[in-house]
Amino acid sequence: ERRQALAWGRGEPVPAAASTLHGLFAAQARARPHATALVHGERELTYAELERDANRIAHRLRRLGVGPEARVGVCMQRTPALVAALLGVLKAGGAYVPLDPAYPAPRLEHMLRAAGARVVLADGASRARLEAVGPGPALVAADAPDLAAEPGDDPGVAIHPGNVAYVIFTSGSTGGPKGVEIEHRGPVALLHWLRGALPDEERSAVLGSSSISFDLSIVEIFGTLCGGGTLVLVENALAPIPRPVRAAGLVPTVAAELLRRGGLPAGTQNVVIGGEVVTPALAAALRAGGAERILNIYGPTEDTTCSTWAELESDAASIPIGRPVAGGRVYVLDARLEPVGVGVAGELCVAGEGVARGYAGRPGLTAASFVPDPFGPPGSRMYRTGDIGRWRADGALEFLGRRDGQVKVRGVRVELGEVEAALAAHPAVREAAAALREDGLVAWLVAAEGAARPQAAELRAFLRASLPEAMVPGVFAWTGALPRTGSGKLDRRALPDPEPAPAGLAVRKIGPRSGLEETLAALWREVLGVEQVGIHDDFFELGGHSLLALRLMARLREELGRDLPVATLFRAPSVESMARAFAGGLPEILLPLVPLQPLGSRRPLFLAPPGGGHLVCYRTLSRLLAPELPVYGLQARGLEDGRDPLRSIEEMGAYFVEAVRALQPGGPYFLGGWSLGGVLSFEMARQLEGAGDEVALLALLDTGVPESETETKATLDHARVLVRILGDVLGFGAAALVRPREIRHLPPREQLKAALRQMSLREPLPPSRYDEVLELTRVRRANLHALLDYRPGRYAGHVTYVRTAGSERKGVTERTEAYWAARADGGLSVTRISGNHGTLLHEPHVRALVAELLARTG
């Protein structure tokens, strides 16, 4: 049995022909220069164009001394320039070090120092984050206009397959991230396996949704571009995609969320899934959702992403992790590193072409984890994964769990020791323990003597200063002492279920306690598509948004006979608070003025609505501005009030000014708005100023130029806007099946019915929700027409303009800033924030916006 297990653990050999990642890409660029290599929004790049951009970056890096084994940080937003930067580093001979712009500055500093990076490629928004890190590597603007002067030919640097291609950081059990050094031979072998497992035609269009800090990105980016396919680059897997794809790489958590939201990305037939345990139910759901092939991959970063693979069947009772990939070897070993028999559990150890060189700057840790391979060629090494598995009788591997403190949270590898070390650094915490439970990552805390116990919000803010979001626990519990084994070690299995914690700490879910709470919880579960809802769970933190809020209000009307505006959820977002409000009288909300967050001693900030008219987009911003700055939103007329929408920006401005004066009769006023909301707040400021009132703050948040919007009046007919709304409600994959020109001649309600028929979905929208969609369509269409007709006059005051990294496409931001500056006699100041137009109001980018607003209203 042991000999049989060793035989099963050997993958097919990889051809001996040496190659590198960028060499494989360059071959495709020569063979397919005019084929589309990359799609991002409305932009497309051919292989020749991407090759040229990468070569220019490579020449710039070469002049800075980058060559084989040199480490180059890459800290950029998800744009085509990011992909060109990765290729450019490789073409210069260097190894790229992915740096997530959302990471805290101390973590970025640690990664750069540990990797030994001498140069960092950054874009406009990321440069500000890196400058906060302090003195270190030279910053190179990857989006600098003068790069166009660099040569567009390949610099021709000689690189060996044994040179390092990239250094990816993973969570470390000793309290800090560790960098894994991957040589070119590893990903080249991985791509050889991928071509056999998923032929080139099945990867002709691939979703590029994984962060470059997550090694599934190697499969997406290089598996596509080195195979002649088209990479469809998006912010994340849940974002709208500009065109259908044929294959997508997903972690199980994201795959499940996509299915919950309506389905896989349009056109997806092949799913490569990994990073977490896959359940039989998820495999069946993916098959039912349209996936024709599902490849379950397993492997640590230390073995180039993928060590084993299995093609999954929808009716499987258990999910294997399969057999070794080409060029790989997998062993199941006992404590003496001897093979165990079939069906016997042991540690999974991996060897072969994909094994990393080691950990950057950590020779001791490298020696402990990368050990001689007793079953391979002389001089070869294997990596001890710390995972437990066993061979099945059919020769496939089963994953059984971990033997240490490492877990996966949404596909991200998390060392519990690193979380515990970060928690223990808080002055109020003497000891800390962490574990993964069914509700997510949980922390148990022992208070320091004499220290006050901080609230969950304070603990999360403290951790976010040093840890990525995936490593921040969702539940905290205080305990008198941590359980220990006989040898004095932490006994994670004995950690108790967290009790309800004092002082606002997050706790485990508490079920309904009355008939009303049970009814409300059932509606929360139905609308949000979740299995469990505690009475303290926040509707929006469970995934609720403006469209789901509309649906919840409709269901409340049907079940309880109460007709409530969506704004009610800002005051009563949980089952408990809604039930209490029902019992004691619901808070009166006089539209259009909506109290998003009424706490604070300063004058309130008034936020105008974006094009959709609702205000849910401002919820995180308003919550983070508490308790200093009160925030009120202004909801568009025509939503939930039974009135017709207004038809001009001037009318909307006057309507909102009247509501603002009802709450605050005199200035100075604080005004702002995102997207269309910025245009509306500009008009409000003009009208207030014209009436003799002072406007102390006018903040335009990533607001475009009205008369140069991409839409034209011809494209804003009812049918087109209706299809966009259906994309928001039912998913853009379904809406992509609708042909607006074929339904344009019909009345609005018939347009909706015809669009739903074209989607070919089973009951995609109940008739009870038709009015909701038609109302949203009517308001959005009116808003967009008003925007195109608006010609703003001059404003005597000062304008604060907030722009995002994603808006910094060549020429766009300069033109936009010049446009608003020409209309602001009091001057224009510009604040740059990471993220893009769609993520500005979300974590982590919104925190920089909060700091800016507090500074300007203090």
Side-chain angles (χ1 to χ4, degrees):
E1 284 187 341
R2 292 176 180 175
R3 285 196 298 271
Q4 179 65 67
L6 283 174
W8 282 339
R10 297 183 183 276
E12 66 177 80
V14 173
S19 189
T20 59
L21 280 176
H22 58 285
L24 293 174
F25 168 75
Q28 292 293 339
R30 289 191 297 270
R32 303 163 50 82
H34 304 300
T36 301
L38 191 150
V39 174
H40 179 250
E42 298 180 356
R43 187 181 178 193
E44 295 186 5
L45 264 73
T46 65
Y47 272 85
E49 291 170 331
L50 185 56
E51 167 86 346
R52 178 204 61 205
D53 291 349
N55 288 337
R56 287 172 172 169
I57 292 173
H59 280 286
R60 176 65 56 88
L61 293 175
R62 290 291 292 166
R63 290 196 290 104
L64 293 172
V66 173
E69 298 296 319
R71 315 299 164 87
V72 179
V74 178
C75 189
M76 299 173 63
Q77 305 296 312
R78 294 183 63 77
T79 66
L82 170 65
V83 179
L86 300 181
L87 289 166
V89 173
L90 297 174
K91 284 173 169 289
Y96 71 82
V97 182
L99 304 169
D100 192 325
Y103 279 177
R107 193 174 186 88
L108 293 176
E109 183 178 18
H110 171 89
M111 294 165 70
L112 288 168
R113 185 173 63 253
R118 295 186 297 168
V119 178
V120 179
L121 286 168
D123 52 20
S126 302
R127 283 197 296 275
R129 169 58 63 92
L130 290 166
E131 286 165 357
V133 168
L139 290 181
V140 176
D143 51 0
D146 65 344
L147 273 175
E150 296 286 354
D153 60 322
D154 194 307
V157 181
I159 305 170
H160 189 272
N163 288 132
V164 175
Y166 57 85
V167 181
I168 283 188
F169 279 79
T170 67
S171 178
S173 59
T174 56
K178 52 184 186 284
V180 183
E181 299 176 313
I182 299 292
E183 298 170 343
H184 278 270
R185 70 173 93 246
V188 168
L190 176 68
L191 298 189
H192 173 77
W193 159 77
L194 186 62
R195 174 166 287 186
L198 203 62
D200 290 350
E201 60 270 19
E202 300 299 323
R203 291 176 286 117
S204 57
V206 177
L207 185 69
S209 62
S210 297
S211 165
I212 61 169
S213 297
F214 183 30
D215 51 4
L216 188 59
S217 64
I218 305 301
V219 175
E220 291 177 354
I221 296 174
F222 297 106
T224 303
L225 297 177
C226 295
T230 299
L231 181 68
V232 181
L233 193 67
V234 294
E235 186 70 21
N236 57 63
L238 302 178
I241 61 173
R243 65 164 62 177
V245 297
R246 195 158 182 175
L250 304 169
V251 296
T253 305
V254 173
E257 177 64 13
L258 282 168
L259 293 172
R260 188 185 73 81
R261 293 191 179 193
L264 295 170
T268 304
Q269 298 173 341
N270 306 278
V271 174
V272 178
I273 193 162
E276 296 170 341
V277 174
V278 180
T279 64
L282 178 58
L286 286 170
R287 186 77 67 184
E292 297 179 3
R293 296 192 70 203
I294 307 167
L295 305 186
N296 182 28
I297 63 172
Y298 157 83
T301 301
E302 288 85 347
D303 195 34
T304 316
T305 309
C306 183
S307 303
T308 69
W309 72 291
E311 183 167 356
L312 302 184
E313 302 296 335
S314 59
D315 57 351
S318 64
I319 301 296
I321 58 174
R323 292 178 168 83
V325 299
R329 301 187 296 277
V330 181
Y331 315 121
V332 182
L333 307 179
D334 62 18
R336 297 173 297 175
L337 299 185
E338 292 290 336
V340 299
V342 176
V344 179
E347 182 182 0
L348 295 174
C349 296
V350 295
E353 296 291 331
V355 172
R357 178 184 293 181
Y359 298 116
R362 306 285 292 275
L365 188 60
T366 298
S369 301
F370 297 84
V371 300
D373 178 4
F375 314 106
S380 60
R381 300 176 307 145
M382 67 180 182
Y383 172 69
R384 301 187 63 175
T385 69
D387 292 335
I388 303 299
R390 66 184 173 202
W391 292 106
R392 302 194 320 190
D394 62 359
L397 277 168
E398 279 187 334
F399 175 81
L400 301 177
R402 290 288 302 173
R403 65 172 175 82
D404 55 17
Q406 187 187 104
V407 297
K408 287 288 185 74
V409 179
R410 298 190 296 276
V412 177
R413 195 167 90 186
V414 172
E415 290 283 0
L416 297 175
E418 185 175 0
V419 178
E420 292 162 353
L423 281 165
H426 192 285
V429 177
R430 179 163 61 86
E431 289 184 286
L436 188 64
R437 296 289 176 88
E438 61 182 16
D439 289 340
L441 198 57
V442 180
W444 288 260
L445 308 172
V446 178
E449 186 174 355
R453 296 177 177 182
Q455 294 191 357
E458 179 185 335
L459 287 169
R460 291 192 184 100
F462 176 80
L463 292 176
R464 286 177 178 132
S466 60
L467 298 178
E469 187 65 30
M471 297 177 69
V472 177
V475 177
F476 297 90
W478 294 95
T479 182
L482 298 176
R484 301 285 177 180
T485 64
S487 62
K489 294 183 178 180
L490 174 67
D491 187 353
R492 296 187 194 280
R493 291 176 296 181
L495 288 167
D497 286 346
E499 296 294 332
L505 286 176
V507 298
R508 293 176 78 82
K509 299 181 188 300
I510 298 176
R513 303 161 298 186
S514 67
L516 177 58
E517 286 187 348
E518 180 58 52
T519 299
L520 293 172
L523 293 177
W524 255 248
R525 291 193 299 269
E526 173 193 326
V527 170
L528 294 167
V530 297
E531 294 182 0
Q532 290 185 328
V533 172
I535 62 171
H536 298 128
D537 288 341
D538 186 288
F539 177 83
F540 299 103
E541 291 182 1
L542 288 175
H545 48 72
S546 60
L547 299 169
L548 291 179
L550 282 169
R551 183 178 175 190
L552 178 63
M553 294 299 105
R555 293 291 289 121
L556 284 171
R557 182 170 57 249
E558 294 168 2
E559 293 292 323
L560 299 173
R562 302 297 297 267
D563 197 358
L564 307 172
V566 166
T568 306
L569 278 171
F570 288 106
R571 303 288 293 276
S574 69
V575 167
E576 181 190 46
S577 59
M578 183 68 76
R580 189 169 58 244
F582 268 116
L586 289 164
E588 184 180 15
I589 295 175
L590 299 176
L591 297 176
L593 197 64
V594 176
L596 302 180
Q597 189 287 109
L599 302 176
S601 57
R602 306 183 190 184
R603 290 176 178 268
L605 170 66
F606 296 97
L607 294 172
H614 276 294
L615 303 165
V616 173
C617 61
Y618 294 127
R619 186 174 184 277
T620 302
L621 173 65
S622 60
R623 176 174 57 82
L624 293 174
L625 286 170
E628 299 178 64
L629 183 63
V631 184
Y632 288 81
L634 297 156
Q635 184 166 296
R637 201 176 86 171
L639 292 176
E640 306 179 297
D641 56 13
R643 307 173 70 183
D644 290 331
L646 296 170
R647 298 291 175 179
S648 74
I649 297 296
E650 291 83 357
E651 287 180 304
M652 295 178 196
Y655 177 60
F656 291 150
V657 164
E658 181 182 2
V660 166
R661 281 199 171 123
L663 181 72
Q664 182 185 328
Y669 291 101
F670 299 149
L671 306 177
W674 169 67
S675 195
L676 170 68
V679 177
L680 289 168
S681 63
F682 183 87
E683 178 59 29
M684 290 172 62
R686 291 188 68 250
Q687 293 187 20
L688 286 167
E689 176 199 64
D693 285 306
E694 178 189 356
V695 176
L697 172 67
L698 173 56
L700 309 189
L701 311 181
D702 216 37
T703 297
V705 174
E707 60 248 43
S708 66
E709 292 292 321
T710 55
E711 294 96 348
T712 66
K713 290 184 178 179
T715 66
L716 292 181
D717 61 43
H718 190 278
R720 285 185 177 271
V721 179
L722 171 67
V723 171
R724 291 176 65 175
I725 296 297
L726 285 173
D728 290 334
V729 174
L730 299 174
F732 288 89
L737 302 174
V738 180
R739 296 174 290 278
R741 64 179 181 278
E742 296 182 10
I743 63 175
R744 185 172 292 131
H745 65 285
L746 300 171
R749 187 169 290 270
E750 296 304 314
Q751 285 184 5
L752 174 56
K753 293 178 181 178
L756 295 174
R757 286 195 297 272
Q758 286 189 17
M759 289 181 178
S760 302
L761 299 177
R762 181 179 298 175
E763 299 180 359
L765 193 74
S768 62
R769 297 186 66 195
Y770 286 6
D771 288 340
E772 164 199 326
V773 172
L774 293 174
E775 181 182 81
L776 289 166
T777 303
R778 185 169 60 252
V779 170
R780 182 174 180 83
R781 183 168 176 249
N783 286 345
L784 291 173
H785 275 292
L787 180 65
L788 289 172
D789 287 337
Y790 183 54
R791 298 296 180 268
R794 302 186 71 82
Y795 168 58
H798 178 271
V799 171
T800 296
Y801 188 85
V802 176
R803 84 182 197 193
T804 63
S807 68
E808 291 185 338
R809 298 185 300 274
K810 185 176 180 181
V812 172
T813 51
E814 289 78 3
R815 184 176 72 250
T816 302
E817 290 168 15
Y819 180 92
W820 292 113
R823 286 153 180 81
D825 293 341
L828 180 92
S829 60
V830 178
T831 297
R832 296 169 178 81
I833 292 178
S834 62
N836 57 36
H837 187 73
T839 63
L840 171 62
L841 298 176
H842 299 282
E843 296 274 16
H845 316 293
V846 69
R847 291 185 176 271
L849 177 58
V850 167
E852 179 72 14
L853 293 174
L854 289 176
R856 292 184 178 273
T857 56

